[in-house]
């Protein structure tokens, strides 16, 4: 069997950093195999995959030692351009790799640079866009796409290269669940054709069936490298959970990890007293001047002490809706009331989908301190409080680093702390858990629950369907700019046609429990217990220890 990837004693330290990001990493992968790389936020997963096509050290400098071989070639010596004939890479941040103005040009860019004949380029573009569901966007400008659609576009651009090795760094983090499953169905077909896959993924259930080997990174070192069955054995599952890493939900349910059903059956759900309406939308219509999308007659409301989860397919209008509530966008028609008046950023705390849009300082500690200073703290007081928050959250080691140079998960954590430091009554959260490991994702859950207890209004957009049962008081489902459903989660789960149109696939663990116990309320309670088995530790400002 031909060796596709061989890494031996790999060491890498970023320029200007004291500690290495990778230490003594070794593994190998044969042609046609699929490797899943697991690890907590900041463990070195992205750093490792950036060495496979030569981005490290040719584009991102640093101290590199050891050996990386890809189909017998040394990526560090070959360079990114030559490796592109063999390796296609999908970045964690889809906006980091967009180079063209239109969707068609973006997907054609790679094959054009590989000197593929024009007639073949056209067929590759058509096939790739069809596979990711963007064929109707062929002539659309890239900047009108949602972030999820841009992630689909990045995938299409990689697929059009017809690579021997496909590297995917969190390829479904912005995709709706149905699209994510469709992607892995296609990747399974690529694997059958002999394409080698290297995948970093937190939705482990989706990728589980196509993986041959698992590499577990812990603080830049290999904790274990083994076959899938050994990686998810009972002993390994516990080790992964203790490290805060995502594991397959279906295995958690089947193996009974959690507190047990007898406890759940006796526990009454905790209810928070809900207050007055704080957000009201009446027949709101909005369309971008560049065309291609519009919100059509949106009417909904949210109360104090209530968490409203907003779900729907990529491009359905979820982020646009939050921007309207924040006052960033103005409706064409209809009325929006926020705390009884016109929408304004001064009334809300808005955690954006892309954390880099929020950073305002060169150091992490200054970014968090900026929010505290905006509230009226002195410069010195703001810095002291910012450091306290970072330390309580285990992030003090990041305090002097640039927020732009952090891992995607670390960027998300810093952005959440910075915005929550504003201490607003209305909190808008756009994909707050994307790119986070299990431990920090559950800490976001703790934040959201604490805000509800404090009487804040939370509007939360997510594609992470596991998150919804843990926090949702009311669910709103969007599709093509319209409201499909608004009401309790339990009712939503019984509406098969609505679920299908919203492209909302049940979390694998909840699906397993529903098939077993039959009752939606009982299944939801048991699912919460399983998912909260890993105790969260992140603390926000003024939250109890």
């Amino acid at each position: 069997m031909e060796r596709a990837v061989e890494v031996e004693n790999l060491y890498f330290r970023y320029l200007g950093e004291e500690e290495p990001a990778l230490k003594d990493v070794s593994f190998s992968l044969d042609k046609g195999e699929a490797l899943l790389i697991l690890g907590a936020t900041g463990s070195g997963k992205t750093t490792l995959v950036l060495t496979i096509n030569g981005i490290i050290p040719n584009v991102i400098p640093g101290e590199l030692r050891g050996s990386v071989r890809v189909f017998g070639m040394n990526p560090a010596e070959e360079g990114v351009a030559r490796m592109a004939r063999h390796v296609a890479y999908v970045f964690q941040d889809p906006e980091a790799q967009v180079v063209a103005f239109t969707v068609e040009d973006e997907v054609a860019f790679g094959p054009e640079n590989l000197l593929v004949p024009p007639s073949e380029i056209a067929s590759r573009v058509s096939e790739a866009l069809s596979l990711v569901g963007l064929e109707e966007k062929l002539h659309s400008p890239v900047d009108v796409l949602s972030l999820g659609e841009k992630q689909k576009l990045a995938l299409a651009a990689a697929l059009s290269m017809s690579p021997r090795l496909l590297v995917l760094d969190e390829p479904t983090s912005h995709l709706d669940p149905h699209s994510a499953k469709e992607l892995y169905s296609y990747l399974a077909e690529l694997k059958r054709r002999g394409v080698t896959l290297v995948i970093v993924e937190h939705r482990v259930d989706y990728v589980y069936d196509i993986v041959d080997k698992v590499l577990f990174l812990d603080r830049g070192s290999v904790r274990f490298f083994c076959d899938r069955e050994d990686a998810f054995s009972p002993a390994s599952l516990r080790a992964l959970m203790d490290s805060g890493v995502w594991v397959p939900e279906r295995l958690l349910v089947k193996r009974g990890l959690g507190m047990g059903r007898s406890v759940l059956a006796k526990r009454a759900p905790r209810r928070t007293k809900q207050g007055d309406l704080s957000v009201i939308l009446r027949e709101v219509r909005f369309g971008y001047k560049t065309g291609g999308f519009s919100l059509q007659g949106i009417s909904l409301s949210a109360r104090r002490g209530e968490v409203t989860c907003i779900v729907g397919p990529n491009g359905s209008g979820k982020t646009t809706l939050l921007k309207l509530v924040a006052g960033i966008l103005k409706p064409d028609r209809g009325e929006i009331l926020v705390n009884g008046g016109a929408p304004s950023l001064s009334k809300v705390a808005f955690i954006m989908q892309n954390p880099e849009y929020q950073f305002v300082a060169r150091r992490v500690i200054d970014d968090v301190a900026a929010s505290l200073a905006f509230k009226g703290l002195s410069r010195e007081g703001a810095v002291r409080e910012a450091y306290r928050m970072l330390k309580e959250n285990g992030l003090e080691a990041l305090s002097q680093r640039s927020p732009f140079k952090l891992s995607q998960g670390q960027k998300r954590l810093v952005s959440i702390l910075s915005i929550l430091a504003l201490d607003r009554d209305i909190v808008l959260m756009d994909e707050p858990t994307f790119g986070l490991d299990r431990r920090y994702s559950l800490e976001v859950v703790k934040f959201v629950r604490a805000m509800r207890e404090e009487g804040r209004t939370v509007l939360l957009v997510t594609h992470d369907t596991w998150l919804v049962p843990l926090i949702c008081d009311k669910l709103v489902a969007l599709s093509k700019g319209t409201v499909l459903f608004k009401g309790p989660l339990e009712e939503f789960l019984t509406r098969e046609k609505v679920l299908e149109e919203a492209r909302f696939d049940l979390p694998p663990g909840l699906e397993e429990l529903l098939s077993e116990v039959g009752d939606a309320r009982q299944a939801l309670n048991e699912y919460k217990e399983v998912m909260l088995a890993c105790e969260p530790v992140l603390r926000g400002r003024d939250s109890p220890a």
Side-chain angles (χ1 to χ4, degrees):
M1 180 68 71
E2 182 183 3
R3 187 58 52 88
V5 180
E6 190 164 16
V7 176
E8 293 183 353
N9 303 319
L10 183 64
Y11 172 100
F12 181 75
R13 181 177 59 83
Y14 286 99
L15 194 65
E17 298 293 335
E18 294 183 2
E19 295 296 322
L22 297 173
K23 297 170 288 187
D24 197 28
V25 174
S26 298
F27 70 93
S28 62
L29 195 63
D30 289 335
K31 178 179 179 296
E33 287 187 319
L35 171 70
L36 173 63
I37 302 176
L38 296 176
T41 297
S43 62
K45 303 183 296 297
T46 296
T47 301
L48 175 58
V49 295
L50 286 172
T51 67
I52 292 177
N53 69 343
I55 292 178
I56 288 178
N58 291 292
V59 178
I60 301 175
E63 181 185 358
L64 180 69
R65 299 200 301 258
S67 171
V68 178
R69 295 283 173 181
V70 178
F71 298 111
M73 298 171 287
N74 183 342
E77 295 177 356
E78 296 288 336
V80 178
R82 289 182 180 176
M83 292 306 299
R85 296 184 175 277
H86 310 276
V87 182
Y89 187 104
V90 177
F91 285 77
Q92 194 171 17
D93 177 5
E95 294 184 329
Q97 64 188 94
V98 173
V99 297
F101 178 70
T102 69
V103 168
E104 181 179 24
D105 290 343
E106 179 68 22
V107 181
F109 181 81
E112 285 173 347
N113 281 272
L114 296 179
L115 303 180
V116 174
S119 59
E120 185 178 342
I121 291 176
S123 62
R124 286 194 188 189
V125 169
S126 177
E127 180 183 4
L129 289 175
S130 177
L131 286 168
V132 300
L134 287 182
E135 58 269 35
E136 295 181 0
K137 304 281 186 177
L138 178 66
H139 302 296
S140 297
V142 173
D143 61 0
V144 305
L145 301 182
S146 71
L147 195 56
E149 289 172 327
K150 288 177 182 176
Q151 189 161 47
K152 289 184 176 183
L153 178 61
L155 288 164
L159 295 173
S160 71
M161 305 271 288
S162 296
R164 299 169 67 191
L165 170 62
L166 183 57
V167 181
L168 303 132
D169 193 355
E170 298 283 4
T172 68
S173 58
H174 298 292
L175 297 187
D176 62 71
H178 196 76
S179 295
K181 287 185 176 180
E182 288 179 340
L183 166 66
Y184 279 116
S185 176
Y186 177 67
L187 291 180
E189 176 59 29
L190 283 184
K191 183 170 177 272
R192 285 190 286 271
R193 298 179 194 173
V195 176
T196 307
L197 305 173
V198 175
I199 305 167
V200 177
E201 177 63 90
H202 75 273
R203 288 168 156 177
V204 184
D205 284 276
Y206 295 166
V207 72
Y208 180 84
D209 289 333
I210 70 171
V211 168
D212 299 297
K213 295 179 179 178
V214 176
L215 178 72
F216 176 27
L217 286 179
D218 186 8
R219 300 179 184 180
S221 298
V222 176
R223 184 87 170 265
F224 61 70
F225 170 61
C226 57
D227 293 338
R228 181 189 65 188
E229 288 72 19
D230 292 332
F232 296 116
S233 66
S236 297
L237 272 181
R238 177 49 65 185
L240 291 169
M241 290 182 66
D242 289 344
S243 298
V245 174
W246 285 106
V247 297
E249 287 183 19
R250 69 183 87 170
L251 297 184
L252 293 183
V253 171
K254 287 179 179 178
R255 293 172 183 173
L257 296 180
M259 288 182 61
R261 297 175 184 174
S262 60
V263 176
L264 280 164
K266 298 174 183 178
R267 179 180 297 178
R270 184 176 183 181
R271 301 297 298 175
T272 303
K273 185 177 180 180
Q274 294 169 357
D276 298 334
L277 292 173
S278 55
V279 177
I280 301 173
L281 288 81
R282 297 191 181 104
E283 291 296 321
V284 172
R285 294 179 178 272
F286 174 82
Y288 290 98
K289 290 181 172 57
T290 49
F293 174 80
S294 64
L295 287 177
Q296 306 168 33
I298 301 293
S299 295
L300 58 89
S301 61
R303 295 183 178 275
R304 302 184 192 282
E306 179 180 73
V307 178
T308 300
C309 290
I310 304 171
V311 301
N314 295 117
S316 59
K318 303 181 297 297
T319 296
T320 299
L321 177 60
L322 291 189
K323 289 181 178 179
L324 286 164
V325 174
I328 296 173
L329 300 175
K330 307 297 181 184
D332 298 328
R333 293 183 184 179
E335 182 181 30
I336 303 176
L337 296 176
V338 178
N339 279 342
S344 168
L345 268 175
S346 64
K347 294 181 177 181
V348 302
F350 190 4
I351 298 170
M352 296 183 178
Q353 196 170 15
N354 188 334
E356 290 193 1
Y357 290 169
Q358 300 176 208
F359 296 145
V360 297
R362 295 182 178 180
R363 299 187 305 167
V364 167
I365 193 168
D366 294 330
D367 201 88
V368 179
S371 295
L372 296 164
F374 185 81
K375 288 185 58 184
L377 271 68
S378 67
R379 165 66 182 169
E380 294 77 12
V383 170
R384 282 197 304 270
E385 178 63 13
Y387 186 79
R388 184 192 70 80
M389 292 175 65
L390 290 167
K391 186 174 183 179
E392 282 194 340
N393 294 303
L395 302 175
E396 68 271 22
L398 306 180
S399 63
Q400 302 303 312
R401 293 181 61 185
S402 165
F404 297 97
K405 293 183 178 180
L406 303 178
S407 73
Q408 201 70 13
Q410 290 168 331
K411 288 177 183 177
R412 170 51 79 202
L413 292 172
V414 172
S415 71
I416 290 174
L417 282 181
S418 297
I419 297 302
L420 292 184
L422 292 170
D423 198 26
R424 299 274 166 77
D425 291 334
I426 298 173
V427 182
L428 313 178
M429 309 181 81
D430 198 352
E431 299 287 358
T433 55
F434 95 85
L436 295 184
D437 59 31
R438 175 183 169 88
R439 174 171 289 124
Y440 281 113
S441 293
L442 291 176
E443 290 160 359
V444 172
V445 171
K446 186 177 181 181
F447 267 143
V448 173
R449 289 180 159 192
M451 288 187 288
R452 176 172 57 193
E453 294 294 325
E454 294 165 0
R456 303 180 198 272
T457 303
V458 180
L459 276 71
L460 187 147
V461 167
T462 186
H463 288 304
D464 283 334
T465 55
W466 66 265
L467 176 63
V468 176
L470 306 188
I471 61 171
C472 183
D473 296 309
K474 181 169 68 178
L475 186 134
V476 175
L478 300 182
S479 179
K480 299 178 181 178
T482 63
V483 175
L484 284 176
F485 175 89
K486 52 185 174 182
L489 174 61
E490 288 179 22
E491 181 183 347
F492 176 68
L493 296 178
T494 65
R495 305 277 288 274
E496 292 186 9
K497 290 185 178 180
V498 174
L499 288 171
E500 182 178 353
E501 192 170 350
R503 296 176 74 87
F504 186 97
D505 289 358
L506 294 181
L510 180 57
E511 189 173 28
E512 185 85 21
L513 286 166
L514 272 172
S515 65
E516 184 177 333
V517 304
D519 178 75
R521 182 182 295 274
Q522 182 183 350
L524 282 169
N525 284 337
E526 295 190 13
Y527 180 75
K528 292 176 187 178
E529 195 72 26
V530 170
M531 295 302 292
L532 294 174
C534 191
E535 176 66 22
V537 296
L538 186 63
R539 300 183 185 94
R541 189 163 186 254
D542 299 326
S543 66

Coordinates of all heavy atoms in Angstrom, one line a residue, residues 32 145 161 177 186 235 323 376 418 466 468 475 542:
G32 N -5.8 6.4 0.5 CA -7.2 5.9 0.6 C -7.7 5.8 2.0 O -8.9 5.5 2.2
L145 N -22.9 35.9 0.1 CA -23.2 34.6 0.7 C -23.1 34.7 2.2 O -22.3 35.5 2.8 CB -22.1 33.6 0.2 CG -22.0 33.4 -1.3 CD1 -21.0 32.3 -1.6 CD2 -23.3 33.0 -1.9
M161 N -10.4 20.8 -7.5 CA -8.9 20.5 -7.8 C -8.6 19.0 -8.0 O -7.5 18.7 -8.4 CB -8.1 21.0 -6.6 CG -8.3 22.4 -6.2 SD -7.3 23.6 -7.0 CE -5.7 23.3 -6.3
P177 N -27.1 20.9 9.8 CA -26.8 19.5 10.0 C -27.0 18.6 8.8 O -26.3 17.7 8.5 CB -27.8 19.1 11.1 CG -28.1 20.4 11.8 CD -28.0 21.5 10.8
Y186 N -20.6 12.4 0.6 CA -19.8 12.5 -0.6 C -18.3 12.2 -0.3 O -17.6 11.6 -1.1 CB -19.9 13.9 -1.1 CG -19.0 14.2 -2.3 CD1 -19.2 13.5 -3.5 CD2 -17.9 15.0 -2.2 CE1 -18.4 13.7 -4.6 CE2 -17.0 15.2 -3.3 CZ -17.3 14.5 -4.5 OH -16.5 14.7 -5.6
A235 N -12.4 2.9 27.7 CA -11.3 3.6 28.4 C -10.9 4.9 27.7 O -10.7 5.9 28.3 CB -10.1 2.6 28.5
K323 N -28.6 40.9 12.9 CA -28.1 42.2 12.6 C -29.2 43.3 12.6 O -28.9 44.4 12.9 CB -27.4 42.2 11.2 CG -26.1 41.4 11.2 CD -25.4 41.4 9.9 CE -24.1 40.7 9.9 NZ -23.4 40.6 8.6
G376 N -17.1 52.2 31.9 CA -16.8 53.3 32.8 C -15.6 53.0 33.8 O -15.2 53.8 34.5
S418 N -15.1 39.2 25.8 CA -15.0 40.6 25.5 C -16.4 41.2 25.4 O -16.7 42.3 25.9 CB -14.3 40.9 24.2 OG -12.9 40.5 24.3
W466 N -27.0 19.8 19.1 CA -26.9 19.3 20.4 C -27.1 20.4 21.5 O -27.5 20.1 22.6 CB -25.5 18.7 20.7 CG -24.4 19.7 20.6 CD1 -23.6 20.0 19.5 CD2 -23.9 20.6 21.6 NE1 -22.7 21.0 19.8 CE2 -22.9 21.4 21.1 CE3 -24.3 20.7 23.0 CZ2 -22.2 22.4 21.9 CZ3 -23.6 21.7 23.7 CH2 -22.6 22.5 23.2
V468 N -29.2 23.0 21.3 CA -30.6 23.5 21.4 C -31.3 22.8 22.6 O -31.9 23.5 23.4 CB -31.3 23.2 20.1 CG1 -32.8 23.6 20.3 CG2 -30.7 24.0 19.0
L475 N -38.2 28.1 20.3 CA -37.4 27.8 19.0 C -38.1 28.5 17.9 O -39.3 28.5 17.7 CB -37.3 26.3 18.8 CG -36.4 26.0 17.6 CD1 -35.5 24.8 17.9 CD2 -37.2 25.6 16.3
D542 N -18.7 38.1 37.4 CA -19.7 38.1 38.5 C -20.4 36.8 38.7 O -21.4 36.7 39.5 CB -20.7 39.2 38.4 CG -20.0 40.6 38.4 OD1 -19.0 40.7 39.1 OD2 -20.5 41.5 37.7

